[in-house]
Amino acid sequence: VRNLAKTMALEEEPDIDEYITKFDAIRDTGGQEIYSSPEAVESMLEARRNPAGVHKTGVGPLDQMLGGGLREGQVCIVGGRPGAGKSVLMMQMAIGAVEAGDSVLVVSMEMLKEELMERLASRFTIDDLRQLPMWFVDSTSSLEAIVALCRMAHRRHGLGMIVVDYLQLVEVATQGKGENREVQVARASRRLKRLAMDLRIPLVIGSQLNRASVGNPTLASLRESGAIEQDANVVLLISEPEEYDEPSKIIVAKNRGGRLGDFK
């Protein structure tokens, strides 16, 4: 760590994202463990006794279908076509988590932090906005930097939820010639799933749907990678209304261990 810090200090314009990733890789070295059956049982019982293990989304019908909210280590995918309201729904879930007592990190690759705050300004006063336990990353789309910043924010602020908007905008370093985008998206999905499990908090991740999904989205509508469906614990699909003034339909297309359905 000391040598890496010295190298960084000598550079006139160091690549901050690259160094964040390198420092985080050092921190993670040697973190793997093997657990016995008694230890696994004790972890299970502790999870049952811990009400903080359930993280409310603030969306009443959704929390009911999820048995109270999202669980530790779960990934919730929010899928929708451009303009369908992915960002709106994810920010609503973030605010619901905050109002239930969680701290939330929002990683936005589509909107700046001031734009997100502008949306919330219609619901909160400026003083209330300043008091929200929310943190924002809008400066990078690099997968490695995002993962490192999420870990850093969790250590500093004890996060209860992370929102990533959205998966197809995440930049993933190629690992070979001819590697297609589907493989890269699959790698990003798997890495973010591992992040949720390591931090033991839910991740809410936006995902685009393909063009064929208009009006009747299904799990097959998730764009670019079947790995997204595989990695997710919960998948929400936004079905856009035919008329402008009608509410959108939210389809709970996957709910591992829970019930499926939809609500307006």
Side-chain angles (χ1 to χ4, degrees), residues 53-57 63 66 68-72 74-76 93 161 202-204 234:
V54 179
H55 301 261
K56 291 187 176 297
T57 69
D63 283 337
L66 296 177
L70 294 169
R71 263 61 179 179
E72 294 179 345
Q74 287 192 330
V75 167
C76 174
M93 294 169 70
M161 180 182 289
L203 261 67
V204 178
V234 177

Side-chain angles (χ1 to χ4, degrees), residues 150-163:
C150 286
R151 292 184 184 277
M152 182 189 303
H154 185 59
R155 290 195 297 271
R156 291 180 177 178
H157 309 298
L159 301 177
M161 180 182 289
I162 295 173
V163 173

Side-chain angles (χ1 to χ4, degrees), residues 82 112 149 152 170 187 193 211:
L112 295 170
L149 288 168
M152 182 189 303
V170 176
R187 194 182 312 134
K193 171 63 177 178
R211 290 185 177 88

Side-chain angles (χ1 to χ4, degrees), residues 112-165:
L112 295 170
K113 58 186 178 300
E114 51 267 33
E115 294 179 275
L116 295 172
M117 276 298 181
E118 195 65 54
R119 287 191 170 190
L120 297 178
S122 62
R123 179 172 176 177
F124 298 95
T125 67
I126 297 300
D127 286 340
D128 287 339
L129 287 177
R130 289 195 175 105
Q131 299 299 317
L132 291 177
M134 297 184 74
W135 286 265
F136 301 88
V137 172
D138 65 359
S139 57
T140 183
S141 55
S142 161
L143 174 63
E144 297 301 327
I146 287 170
V147 169
L149 288 168
C150 286
R151 292 184 184 277
M152 182 189 303
H154 185 59
R155 290 195 297 271
R156 291 180 177 178
H157 309 298
L159 301 177
M161 180 182 289
I162 295 173
V163 173
V164 179
D165 188 14

